[in-house]
Amino acid sequence: MLRYIFKRVLIFVPTLFVISLLTFLISVNAPGDPLEQILNKNSQGEGQMQDKLSSEKAYREARHTYGFDLPLFYFDICNSSYPDTLYKIQEENHRKTLERLSWQYGNWKLVSDYYLKIRKLELVLLSVSSSPKNTLALNDAKNTIYTLFDTYAEKKMSYLIAHIARINRDSSLLPSNSKAIESLSQALGTMITHADPMKKYIPAIHWYGTANQYHRWFSRFIQGDFGISYQDQRPVSSAIRDAWPWTAGISLLSVILAYAISIPIGIRAATHKGELSERVSTTTLFVLYSLPNFWIATLLVIFLCGGDWLHLFPGPGAAPVPDDASILYKIGAISYRLILPLICWTYGSLAFISRQMRGGMMNALNQDYIRTARAKGLDEKTIIWKHALKNSLLPIITLFSEIFPLAVSGSVVLEHIFNIPGMGQLSYEALFSKNYPVIFSVMMITAFLTLFGNLVADILYAWVDPRITFSDSKQGK
Amino acid sequence: MRKNSHWGNVRKQFAMNSLAKWSLRFIGILVVLALLADFLANEKPLICKYKGHVYYPVFKEYLVDAGLSRWPSELLNVEWNKLDYDWSLFPLIPYLPQNLDRNNEHGVSPLAHQHIKSIRWRHWMGTDELGRDILAGMLHGTRIALSIGIVSMGVALFIGLIAGSLAGFFGDERLLASRARILLNCLFLCMALFYAFGVRAYSLRDALANSFFKFCIELLISFALFGGILLVGNMLVPILKLIPFLRTKIRIPVDMIISRIIEIMVSVPTLFLIISITAIITKPSIFIVMLIIGLTAWTGIARFVRAELFHIRNLEYVEAARALGFKEIRILLRHALPNALSPVLIALAFGIASSILTESLLSFLGIGVPAETITWGSILATARETPAAWWIAIFPGLAIFLTVTTYNLVGEGLTDAMDPKLKK
């Protein structure tokens, strides 16, 4: 038994590793720059030289503190045109464009030369002092430069550069001795003519060592440092600490409630098979099982929580319970508010469990030992509650492991509808604002708890049914 | 079909279950509604005579979409309901789901007075905040709900059947391969991934940003490349087999590998996974949501197939086939797998139910589904903004509930019909 548990725990490691890789992969590929959120940066459209430099400095510092200036992973398998120092470039859109350009032209040296020329032109443009006469032209030129940073199509690049040259010719923005535009179009020309498109077909491996974003994040996660939420700069662990009691409390209550109600219902359905009451309860439970909980929750909120209909319960937008209220009042107010969510959380699993209980009980009642018990002359109550119950509990116990992930994912939509500040709401908001440290942590914790729940269910299984051994793992389920 | 075959029995048992039978009919009706949605709810008339010409605008739209025809200039970008027809025949519901009825904005109840020309223009299920017809949205949403089930379960079936049959039939002992083959396959797999997907990443991404159809073509090219490279690798095996060390056959523990993968898949919180994947996609599309649901739903099917094949592979007829010297792959495909399919049907019915539920949940939350796509879930979501409009909350929810329930009932009916204990 101990060996079995040990073996199972050992499997946790690769599973969690794969999940961590998966979440990391997703977060890296997500669009949008998280640092923009952190710094709450304004659009760079009309920035002057000084603003630009200072905001760039702040950006660089933030990039360093959050570790975004590191390569992504331990190694990188890519084509040999891929520049291995690309991660050092700050702006995300520049990185994307440069990656694409080096893929197109296969010559990183010329691509980076072209990029530097654009930057130089940008700096020159920023240092031009604006006057009422040239404001329009200057802004147009700046915007063209910013579009150029995102452009990789050959025709569009040369068009944009020609456009800047035209603006310059018409309103002479740059000092007459500046060769920035000419050298830029020259760099573009050499990049195109000296292209080496075959280079992308040669694979290459870059090795970065442990100084990478994944390593940094994962090693800290294991030590209990979940990172800092991008949105409000607050440690993720404290956000989770605030949120989890809601979800865990409601889930636990609903599981207890579901088991307490559904086991008797299931038993009754099994023992009174074929009677009208049984048929009614079975059908009702089936209907309950298929009712989408987000629909019921929406209906309950619309019809029972104010609005134009009944106002029996406080709505999702109700004012929070005041902090200075007495404890009794607080408990009362919170539990009053939790009645509707609890119903929505529970009814689905209620139907699910009682259906399983009914099946298990019917199965147990068909066994020979029940017939023996009946032949001995035991009364029906003892047979059911003492003999059959323990064996019919088997399928119910395994449900325990399935209910857990169900409760967590169910919490996303229910907490969203009822506006409960739990884990579901936390991750929903995090997903919408691309707040990846939070998503990471929630994913990892949920995965861990699911694995743990499965393990507990298996152990309970063996405890209830001593016939089950774990030595022969080869048997198919 | 012979009367006492397995499937004949299943069909007989299924037919005796009236609830399941009616569920199947209900699904049939839904399919018809989905196919005819353009003819039942459309802003364009079915037939009309306009300025002396007879047009069939709804049919014509199909031709125009296929690039086979073009709208005449007097019908280009017109407001169809305001044209001055000589005569016209409009569909039963003369609205498209996205049409805004300016006269009936801010959610008009189906029971209340509506500002309409005649009863023909009535909004039978009311309108939403922007004046969109709910019934039209429901009819067109049927399409999405049904195709979700088909596409995502198609993907799940494909992966689940392959994974489940490999794990169940071969187990840990029976799949033998020479060291040369394993080595070359590993090497060429890396190469195939690199050339088919790594190098072509930009072509794929551009196509995805362009249109879903182009993306599918590019994806097909990638898969063809992938397969071709692997084929070349396998053709090199006989050459490497000349070396004795590489010729030795070793066991591949497929069951262990696939079971671990399933275990990992099951412990990932699926909803989170789907939501985070859809967060990456810059141009959301309902097809991508379907694909992602399929990619996370295959484990159930794989488990069923695996368990069934574990049992079947030790049966006498499989032994007999083996004794006759048939190849393992032929035994699997011709003899073992067809007999393992019945539980898959059950998993499929329940899987469709849960994928429809997942999709409506996602569009309810507004994740992954583009805003202009109108689904049952997205209609239900608008109910939260206009709490007084009970009709917006009741009808789409009811549609989701009924569809999910009927699929569940079909699954239930199949389970009962295939249970040998109930055989009469």
Side-chain angles (χ1 to χ4, degrees):
Chain A
M1 188 73 194
L2 269 177
R3 245 190 79 194
Y4 172 78
I5 294 176
F6 181 71
K7 243 169 91 183
R8 284 290 298 267
V9 173
L10 222 60
I11 293 174
F12 279 26
V13 177
T15 311
L16 288 176
F17 177 67
V18 169
I19 291 170
S20 76
L21 276 184
L22 213 64
T23 18
F24 186 71
L25 200 79
I26 288 169
S27 82
V28 166
N29 283 303
D33 186 356
L35 279 177
E36 304 241 334
Q37 270 184 57
I38 297 170
L39 296 172
N40 218 348
K41 233 168 69 165
N42 305 322
S43 65
Q44 30 181 226
E46 273 126 90
Q48 281 302 310
M49 186 82 173
Q50 215 49 40
D51 296 349
K52 170 96 184 159
L53 285 181
S54 72
S55 83
E56 239 171 45
K57 190 163 167 266
Y59 191 83
R60 187 157 46 241
E61 274 164 9
R63 210 165 115 83
H64 185 70
T65 25
Y66 289 94
F68 285 111
D69 56 348
L70 296 172
L72 290 176
F73 201 57
Y74 298 97
F75 59 87
D76 193 2
I77 301 177
C78 52
N79 57 66
S80 53
S81 73
Y82 185 85
D84 62 340
T85 47
L86 189 66
Y87 61 87
K88 288 185 180 154
I89 287 166
Q90 274 191 33
E91 292 83 353
E92 202 205 2
N93 55 338
H94 297 193
R95 269 204 307 279
K96 288 223 164 107
T97 315
L98 284 175
E99 194 186 332
R100 176 102 198 207
L101 282 174
S102 58
W103 178 81
Q104 268 174 15
Y105 300 112
N107 196 333
W108 172 234
K109 206 172 145 272
L110 295 180
V111 171
S112 66
D113 187 46
Y114 163 74
Y115 174 65
L116 288 176
K117 291 278 156 57
I118 309 180
R119 296 225 70 151
K120 204 173 152 202
L121 181 58
E122 186 198 2
L123 279 180
V124 174
L125 272 177
L126 284 173
S127 61
V128 172
S129 55
S130 86
S131 64
K133 233 167 66 189
N134 68 2
T135 321
L136 264 174
L138 191 60
N139 280 340
D140 191 10
K142 275 182 194 165
N143 285 333
T144 318
I145 285 283
Y146 295 131
T147 328
L148 201 55
F149 278 127
D150 290 327
T151 312
Y152 45 79
E154 217 164 280
K155 272 187 193 145
K156 200 177 171 195
M157 284 191 293
S158 39
Y159 169 78
L160 288 173
I161 294 172
H163 183 64
I164 296 179
R166 196 160 49 241
I167 298 170
N168 188 34
R169 213 170 35 243
D170 292 349
S171 43
S172 56
L173 291 171
L174 301 187
S176 53
N177 57 356
S178 172
K179 290 265 180 285
I181 296 176
E182 285 79 10
S183 63
L184 174 61
S185 65
Q186 233 169 41
L188 177 69
T190 32
M191 185 172 74
I192 293 170
T193 46
H194 289 72
D196 187 5
M198 291 314 285
K199 221 173 166 184
K200 63 175 175 259
Y201 295 110
I202 304 163
I205 295 182
H206 300 299
W207 178 258
Y208 295 115
T210 53
N212 62 59
Q213 289 185 31
Y214 176 78
H215 184 84
R216 183 186 143 108
W217 164 69
F218 195 65
S219 54
R220 286 189 183 183
F221 183 85
I222 285 181
Q223 289 161 22
D225 174 7
F226 294 172
I228 287 168
S229 160
Y230 292 160
Q231 223 171 2
D232 46 8
Q233 312 299 305
R234 147 180 196 218
V236 175
S237 48
S238 99
I240 288 179
R241 207 177 304 130
D242 286 351
W244 81 265
W246 287 97
T247 308
I250 296 176
S251 301
L252 200 69
L253 264 177
S254 95
V255 167
I256 292 170
L257 213 64
Y259 272 91
I261 299 172
S262 55
I263 289 178
I265 291 180
I267 291 172
R268 208 190 131 72
T271 51
H272 294 68
K273 203 181 165 224
E275 284 175 24
L276 184 70
S277 67
E278 184 267 341
R279 288 221 300 275
V280 169
S281 76
T282 309
T283 318
T284 318
L285 288 175
F286 187 83
V287 170
L288 279 183
Y289 174 62
S290 326
L291 275 176
N293 60 6
F294 59 95
W295 181 40
I296 295 303
T298 313
L299 290 184
L300 287 177
V301 168
I302 288 178
F303 288 120
L304 298 183
C305 298
D308 293 16
W309 311 89
L310 297 173
H311 197 154
L312 296 178
F313 294 95
V321 183
D323 275 335
D324 52 347
S326 71
I327 299 222
L328 266 179
Y329 175 79
K330 260 190 191 166
I331 291 173
I334 288 178
S335 44
Y336 182 48
R337 201 169 287 188
L338 284 185
I339 291 175
L340 288 184
L342 210 53
I343 290 173
C344 292
W345 243 278
T346 312
Y347 79 82
S349 48
L350 185 87
F352 191 46
I353 297 172
S354 59
R355 277 166 60 74
Q356 296 287 336
M357 186 70 216
R358 171 173 164 262
M361 196 53 158
M362 267 165 28
N363 202 12
L365 286 177
N366 281 331
Q367 301 290 323
D368 287 339
Y369 69 88
I370 296 292
R371 200 178 307 150
T372 318
R374 289 220 174 93
K376 274 198 303 192
L378 290 180
D379 66 316
E380 203 59 26
K381 236 181 203 155
T382 328
I383 289 172
I384 289 164
W385 290 97
K386 218 174 153 194
H387 294 249
L389 183 65
K390 198 178 168 194
N391 281 299
S392 55
L393 276 180
L394 259 163
I396 302 284
I397 284 167
T398 43
L399 288 190
F400 192 75
S401 64
E402 282 172 40
I403 283 174
F404 182 77
L406 222 72
V408 172
S409 56
S411 71
V412 175
V413 63
L414 287 180
E415 282 176 11
H416 171 63
I417 294 172
F418 288 109
N419 203 9
I420 296 167
M423 295 285 275
Q425 182 81 307
L426 182 74
S427 31
Y428 179 78
E429 276 166 9
L431 278 164
F432 260 79
S433 54
K434 311 250 154 68
N435 196 347
Y436 274 96
V438 175
I439 301 169
F440 266 149
S441 313
V442 174
M443 277 267 258
M444 290 294 280
I445 291 169
T446 329
F448 177 77
L449 288 175
T450 313
L451 285 169
F452 189 72
N454 284 338
L455 180 65
V456 171
D458 279 358
I459 293 168
L460 280 175
Y461 214 92
W463 179 62
V464 177
D465 190 350
R467 284 172 301 182
I468 293 168
T469 55
F470 294 111
S471 50
D472 188 12
S473 59
K474 284 271 147 71
Q475 216 138 55
K477 197 198 157 189
Chain B
M1 184 140 308
R2 273 171 293 129
K3 263 230 163 108
N4 44 3
S5 71
H6 172 65
W7 290 108
N9 256 327
V10 167
R11 193 174 287 191
K12 223 169 72 192
Q13 291 283 342
F14 192 82
M16 290 194 321
N17 186 340
S18 60
L19 210 55
K21 222 165 59 191
W22 278 106
S23 306
L24 216 53
R25 280 178 200 158
F26 181 77
I27 293 170
I29 294 171
L30 284 183
V31 170
V32 173
L33 286 181
L35 288 177
L36 295 182
D38 281 336
F39 299 96
L40 292 173
N42 208 320
E43 57 171 348
K44 301 182 181 69
L46 292 169
I47 315 170
C48 65
K49 191 168 182 187
Y50 181 63
K51 291 189 178 167
H53 289 281
V54 178
Y55 294 104
Y56 299 88
V58 179
F59 294 96
K60 199 170 174 66
E61 198 184 12
Y62 282 107
L63 294 179
V64 171
D65 283 349
L68 297 174
S69 175
R70 223 178 272 166
W71 290 112
S73 55
E74 71 257 32
L75 289 178
L76 207 62
N77 298 327
V78 288
E79 282 196 55
W80 289 91
N81 55 359
K82 298 220 173 96
L83 290 183
D84 190 19
Y85 300 105
D86 298 341
W87 52 267
S88 63
L89 175 65
F90 269 90
L92 230 50
I93 300 127
Y95 299 103
L96 273 180
Q98 62 268 29
N99 285 158
L100 310 177
D101 185 352
R102 299 254 177 256
N103 299 325
N104 293 295
E105 276 179 345
H106 308 303
V108 177
S109 163
L111 306 175
H113 173 72
Q114 299 180 348
H115 299 276
I116 41 177
K117 285 185 275 187
S118 73
I119 190 111
R120 279 290 290 118
W121 299 86
R122 196 169 172 79
H123 300 279
W124 295 104
M125 285 190 184
T127 61
D128 68 359
E129 186 60 31
L130 300 171
R132 293 177 294 193
D133 188 66
I134 300 292
L135 184 53
M138 300 277 301
L139 274 171
H140 284 261
T142 316
R143 263 186 193 179
I144 287 166
L146 290 184
S147 42
I148 284 281
I150 293 164
V151 175
S152 59
M153 278 301 115
V155 173
L157 192 67
F158 181 74
I159 306 173
L161 272 183
I162 292 177
S165 49
L166 281 178
F169 189 72
F170 293 111
D172 279 344
E173 310 90 24
R174 290 200 194 163
L175 191 65
L176 299 173
S178 62
R179 286 201 174 112
R181 194 175 291 277
I182 296 172
L183 190 77
L184 278 176
N185 267 314
C186 286
L187 201 70
F188 274 78
L189 185 70
C190 294
M191 270 176 63
L193 282 175
F194 177 75
Y195 286 111
F197 298 103
V199 173
R200 291 176 48 78
Y202 282 116
S203 319
L204 286 169
R205 207 175 294 173
D206 286 353
L208 186 63
N210 210 323
S211 81
F212 188 73
F213 179 69
K214 274 194 184 144
F215 176 66
C216 283
I217 290 178
E218 289 289 332
L219 205 62
L220 271 180
I221 296 174
S222 278
F223 277 120
L225 250 164
F226 185 80
I229 292 172
L230 276 185
L231 198 71
V232 170
N234 278 298
M235 270 150 62
L236 291 176
V237 170
I239 303 170
L240 271 193
K241 269 192 177 169
L242 296 174
I243 305 166
F245 172 75
L246 293 177
R247 205 184 301 150
T248 351
K249 292 203 162 188
I250 50 171
R251 293 199 171 103
I252 307 174
V254 252
D255 183 35
M256 208 263 292
I257 297 168
I258 289 172
S259 301
R260 281 300 87 75
I261 295 175
I262 291 179
E263 201 161 309
I264 291 172
M265 286 297 294
V266 170
S267 50
V268 178
T270 324
L271 190 71
F272 284 102
L273 187 67
I274 294 174
I275 294 174
S276 352
I277 294 176
T278 49
I280 307 180
I281 294 155
T282 33
K283 197 182 172 200
S285 150
I286 193 87
F287 283 102
I288 294 170
V289 174
M290 294 182 197
L291 284 181
I292 296 169
I293 294 177
L295 286 179
T296 54
W298 59 272
T299 51
I301 292 170
R303 278 170 151 182
F304 266 112
V305 176
R306 174 177 172 271
E308 198 66 14
L309 281 175
F310 248 101
H311 165 70
I312 287 175
R313 68 170 188 172
N314 292 325
L315 292 183
E316 277 158 5
Y317 79 95
V318 174
E319 291 293 327
R322 200 166 281 136
L324 284 171
F326 287 145
K327 276 194 169 174
E328 290 283 305
I329 196 81
R330 183 192 154 133
I331 300 174
L332 170 63
L333 291 180
R334 294 283 299 275
H335 303 286
L337 200 55
N339 285 319
L341 286 184
S342 39
V344 172
L345 221 52
I346 301 174
L348 217 56
F350 287 123
I352 291 176
S354 78
S355 64
I356 291 175
L357 201 60
T358 310
E359 186 276 330
S360 51
L361 180 66
L362 286 177
S363 39
F364 179 77
L365 291 172
I367 297 164
V369 184
E372 67 273 8
T373 308
I374 290 167
T375 68
W376 293 343
S378 69
I379 301 174
L380 185 55
T382 55
R384 275 166 54 73
E385 292 142 27
T386 37
W390 54 268
W391 55 95
I392 307 178
I394 297 268
F395 296 124
L398 202 64
I400 297 168
F401 162 62
L402 284 177
T403 314
V404 170
T405 312
T406 44
Y407 273 110
N408 276 336
L409 281 173
V410 169
E412 245 353 64
L414 283 172
T415 317
D416 286 346
M418 285 172 190
D419 191 348
K421 275 187 217 156
L422 297 173
K423 210 169 274 174
K424 278 179 192 157

